[in-house]
């Protein structure tokens, strides 16, 4: 529950430092005094969007900090999973906003992403404002109410997991059918392309070898001449380098004994002679081998033209890429040839997953139907004392196409009169009746969900007198069992039943308008409730009436 709230430099609030108590508390104050400002500050702790304009004029930073007691709410797992130290007696949530627009969030002094603060905030505080009554228009809200009271979270999670698998299989099936249809349309063309490449019998490295041979044949005369001249320079009987180097080596060997210095030179010339002999032999052989062959040249050019033509057609630049295209076409054609079998397998799998979903959806429907009857009975029991004696309330379940939350469409039907046909609650209920319906639903939900703090912002709109008192008793009931309920109210009947009473006031100072909130003493409560009864001029009768309301409130407890 909320134990303490600290606000500094937030809109009209200089500084607010106030304690809260367990059970049922009320907040009163004139319209425009700043109650919505305090709710806005708490909203920032729940992860709402911040605006630097919310900082009090002239200040650089605002701080909102709340202390919670979490000893009975089972939130240990949240702190453990997010590696945040937990002090269940005093958990601190803080939000800081600078005039530069930068916002920072902290849980127990640990900096956290705003989304994480929001996740925790949703488990700590529920603020019910008047606009939340519009939730009754939404089918998902009505379904969520039924599911919460049905306590079917595990069944719903199991269904959603199975539904995710079914939708995945269904999407794969749709894609496969589309691929098969597209493949069948292009099958003939794909087979033609495959055969065109396949019939060419391409091999890796073929293009490079053919291009090299083509260059050689194109320059055969030039090559042959160069080889002939090289052969002559090396192997000529009179002037050839092989003969002359051999002769030079022999000359040096003759003087080795008398001039040892030349021994190394002679050996080197001997090695050169052997190398030149080998080169001369290779060159002589190549002279015989190199010859222009027009038939071979035509054959090479035809083969290269075929390769170049395929590359141009398929917009690639290598035989390897052509081979990859052919293999891809082969795989697609294989898939087409075997599509019937694959399609049947996927259809069977999708059907099995759909059957699983339908089975689980029926379980959800059964639980919701049972819970719907329970809700109808309890809503009648709650709404009759709230001044709607002839109320009829029905939770209508209608079938709908399978979706992530099952196969049920939920609608709350309502009639305040015996003779009036039941219709969707938002279409026929007055503002006051909607407020009572929402309060009753919140009371039921609070019994199913361990939410530490619930704040009602003028839930009493459109009601008065004994009905208001009954609504206060419901909020008092909700405030029991380790839960805290805070009601912002203009009604003295509700204010009198609070265990604690706070007042929000606005004052004009030389520094500007300021809002503040204080907890009222017993005598201050009498004056405040008397003012709520009679207006600015408090009469003795109003004071006496206020004392009686407070006294009766204690008796009600």
């Amino acid at each position: 529950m909320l134990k303490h709230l600290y606000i500094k430099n937030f809109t009209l609030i200089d500084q607010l430092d106030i304690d809260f108590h367990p059970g049922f508390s009320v907040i009163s104050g004139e319209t425009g005094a700043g109650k919505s400002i305090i709710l806005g500050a708490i909203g920032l702790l729940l992860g709402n969007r911040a605006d630097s304009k919310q900082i009090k004029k002239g200040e650089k930073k605002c701080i909102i900090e709340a202390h919670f007691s979490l000893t009975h709410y089972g939130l240990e797992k949240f702190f453990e999973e997010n590696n945040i130290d937990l002090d269940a007696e005093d958990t601190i949530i803080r939000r800081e906003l600078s005039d530069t627009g930068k916002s920072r969030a902290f849980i127990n002094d640990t900096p956290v992403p705003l989304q994480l603060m929001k996740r925790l905030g949703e488990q700590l505080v529920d603020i019910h404002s008047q606009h939340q009554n519009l939730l009754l228009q939404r089918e998902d809200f009505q379904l969520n109410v039924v599911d919460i009271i049905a306590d079917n979270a595990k069944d719903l999670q199991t269904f959603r997991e199975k539904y995710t698998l079914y939708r995945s299989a269904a999407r794969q099936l749709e894609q496969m059918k589309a691929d098969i249809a597209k493949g069948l349309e292009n099958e003939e063309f794909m087979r033609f392309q495959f055969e065109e490449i396949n019939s060419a019998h391409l091999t890796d490295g073929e293009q490079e070898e053919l291009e090299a041979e083509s260059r050689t044949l194109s320059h055969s005369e030039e090559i042959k001449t160069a080889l002939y001249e090289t052969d002559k320079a090396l192997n000529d009987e009179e002037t050839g380098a092989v003969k002359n180097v051999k002769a030079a080596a022999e000359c040096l060997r003759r003087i080795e004994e008398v001039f040892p210095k030349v021994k190394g030179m002679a050996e080197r010339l001997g090695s050169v002679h052997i190398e030149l002999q080998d080169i001369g032999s290779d060159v002589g052989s190549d002279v015989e081998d190199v010859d222009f062959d027009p038939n071979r040249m035509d054959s090479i050019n035809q083969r290269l033209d075929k390769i170049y033509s395929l590359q141009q057609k398929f917009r690639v630049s290598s035989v390897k890429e052509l081979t990859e295209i052919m293999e891809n076409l082969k795989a697609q054609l294989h898939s087409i040839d075997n599509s019937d079998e694959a399609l049947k397998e996927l259809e069977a799998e999708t059907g099995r997953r759909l059957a699983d979903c339908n089975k689980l959806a029926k379980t959800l429907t059964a639980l919701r139907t049972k819970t719907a009857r329970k809700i109808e009975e309890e809503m009648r029991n709650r709404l009759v004392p709230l001044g709607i004696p002839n109320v009829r309330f029905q939770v209508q379940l209608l079938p709908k196409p399978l979706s992530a939350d099952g196969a049920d469409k939920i609608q709350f039907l309502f009639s305040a009169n015996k003779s009036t046909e039941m219709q969707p609650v938002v279409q026929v209920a007055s503002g006051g009746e909607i407020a009572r319906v929402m309060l009753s639903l919140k009371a039921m939900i609070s019994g199913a969900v361990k939410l530490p703090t619930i704040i009602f912002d003028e839930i009493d709109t459109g009601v008065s007198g004994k009905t208001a008192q009954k609504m206060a008793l419901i909020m008092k009931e909700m405030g029991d069992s380790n839960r805290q309920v805070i009601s912002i109210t203009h009604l003295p009947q509700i204010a009198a039943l609070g265990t604690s009473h706070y007042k929000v006031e606005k004052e004009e100072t030389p520094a500007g308008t300021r809002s503040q909130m204080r907890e009222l003493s017993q005598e201050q409560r009498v004056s405040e409730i008397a003012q709520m009864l009679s207006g600015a001029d408090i009469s003795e009768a109003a004071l006496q009436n206020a004392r009686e309301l407070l006294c009766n409130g204690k008796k009600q407890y």
Side-chain angles (χ1 to χ4, degrees), residues 170-343:
R171 283 192 293 270
Q172 290 179 43
L173 182 60
E174 290 171 8
Q175 186 62 51
M176 180 178 285
K177 287 179 178 179
D179 290 344
I180 290 172
K182 185 178 180 181
L184 290 172
E185 288 179 6
N186 299 325
E187 181 182 8
E188 185 177 345
F189 181 59
M190 289 165 61
R191 290 195 186 280
F192 171 77
Q193 289 184 311
F194 172 78
E195 290 300 331
E196 190 174 20
I197 300 175
N198 187 51
S199 62
H201 302 294
L202 302 172
T203 58
D204 289 343
E206 177 185 11
Q207 180 179 352
E208 291 77 11
E209 292 176 4
L210 290 172
E211 287 173 340
E213 188 176 355
S214 176
R215 286 193 296 272
T216 298
L217 289 174
S218 298
H219 297 81
S220 59
E221 289 299 323
E222 179 184 347
I223 294 169
K224 194 171 185 68
T225 299
L227 288 173
Y228 175 78
E229 291 176 354
T230 303
D231 180 58
K232 183 178 180 181
L234 291 172
N235 298 320
D236 187 82
E237 289 294 332
E238 298 296 328
T239 61
V242 174
K243 180 180 180 181
N244 290 332
V245 169
K246 180 181 180 183
E250 289 175 349
C251 288
L252 291 177
R253 286 194 184 100
R254 287 199 297 270
I255 61 171
E256 283 179 356
E257 292 185 5
V258 295
F259 193 44
K261 184 178 180 180
V262 300
K263 183 176 182 180
M265 298 178 191
E267 291 175 351
R268 288 162 61 193
L269 281 173
S271 297
V272 170
H273 173 252
I274 294 170
E275 184 68 18
L276 286 174
Q277 273 188 311
D278 288 341
I279 296 172
S281 177
D282 292 341
V283 170
S285 176
D286 287 341
V287 169
E288 299 297 327
D289 291 342
V290 174
D291 200 7
F292 179 71
D293 184 349
N295 292 330
R296 177 58 181 164
M297 191 66 179
D298 287 343
S299 176
I300 291 173
N301 287 338
Q302 288 176 13
R303 184 62 175 167
L304 286 173
D305 286 345
K306 177 66 174 178
I307 293 173
Y308 294 152
S309 175
L310 287 172
Q311 289 175 346
Q312 184 177 15
K313 183 172 185 178
F314 290 94
R315 297 181 180 180
V316 295
S317 58
S318 69
V319 168
K320 181 180 179 182
E321 289 173 298
L322 285 172
T323 303
E324 289 173 353
I325 291 173
M326 183 182 72
E327 291 300 324
N328 185 46
L329 288 167
K330 183 179 180 180
Q332 291 183 61
L333 291 168
H334 178 77
S335 178
I336 292 172
D337 293 338
N338 295 276
S339 60
D340 288 346
E341 183 178 347
L343 185 63

Side-chain angles (χ1 to χ4, degrees), residues 441-510:
L441 289 171
K442 288 277 184 176
M444 292 180 67
I445 292 171
S446 70
V449 179
K450 289 185 177 181
L451 195 66
T453 300
I454 302 174
I455 301 175
F456 289 106
D457 182 15
E458 300 185 7
I459 188 71
D460 49 34
T461 300
V463 299
S464 59
K466 289 184 177 180
T467 299
Q469 190 177 52
K470 293 288 185 182
M471 291 180 73
L473 287 172
I474 290 176
M475 286 186 274
K476 161 65 177 59
E477 174 192 329
M478 294 170 65
D480 293 337
S481 304
N482 297 314
R483 190 175 290 103
Q484 179 185 51
V485 175
I486 301 170
S487 177
I488 297 173
T489 184
H490 289 293
L491 296 181
Q493 293 88 348
I494 290 180
L497 283 157
T499 307
S500 305
H501 190 155
Y502 302 84
K503 183 174 183 178
V504 179
E505 300 168 294
K506 186 167 66 175
E507 63 175 347
E508 299 295 335
T509 70

